[in-house]
Amino acid sequence: MWAAGPARIICRARPFLAKLNDGPVAVPGPTYTTIVTRYDTVVTPYTSGLLAPAPNVTNIVLQDKCGLDFAGHLGLAIDPNVAQLVLNRLDPEGSKPFRCRPFTTLGI
């Protein structure tokens, strides 16, 4: 198949990408946590950020934990509620009770 420039790279990468996407994302061993927001306007639908259920997967929809949190995609990076959820997942023994704090980033 003849292709030029970026199209040539994509054609060569096709078998690799097919193999990469074959099977589940989460593999046995590590634990996985996803945190998504219903107000995401970048990753749509927001549910596409969730992993398939597995024993080592925890999917968190932010608004299920804190209905007063209106963070969008970019807001997740500065959201104090997300920070607490991440810290609790990284250090389960030192985790603190989750406290919902009202938060908004006005659509970002």
Side-chain angles (χ1 to χ4, degrees):
M1 174 190 258
W2 184 86
R8 184 179 321 140
I9 294 168
I10 292 170
C11 289
R12 273 194 235 142
R14 185 175 265 154
F16 168 76
L17 293 173
K19 185 176 180 182
L20 182 66
N21 290 317
D22 185 31
V25 173
V27 296
T31 57
Y32 299 85
T33 300
T34 66
I35 301 175
V36 300
T37 173
R38 287 192 178 102
Y39 301 105
D40 200 322
T41 58
V42 177
V43 176
T44 59
Y46 75 91
T47 53
S48 63
L50 302 173
L51 295 176
N56 58 339
V57 170
T58 301
N59 289 306
I60 300 171
V61 177
L62 182 57
Q63 288 72 33
D64 290 347
K65 295 286 186 182
C66 182
L68 298 174
D69 195 313
F70 300 96
H73 184 84
L74 296 176
L76 293 175
I78 60 170
D79 188 325
N81 295 308
V82 172
Q84 187 61 59
L85 291 167
V86 170
L87 289 171
N88 284 350
R89 292 295 296 163
L90 290 173
D91 183 16
E93 292 178 15
S95 68
K96 297 179 177 142
F98 180 77
R99 192 177 120 222
C100 173
R101 295 172 178 89
F103 185 79
T104 185
T105 53
L106 300 174
I108 63 166

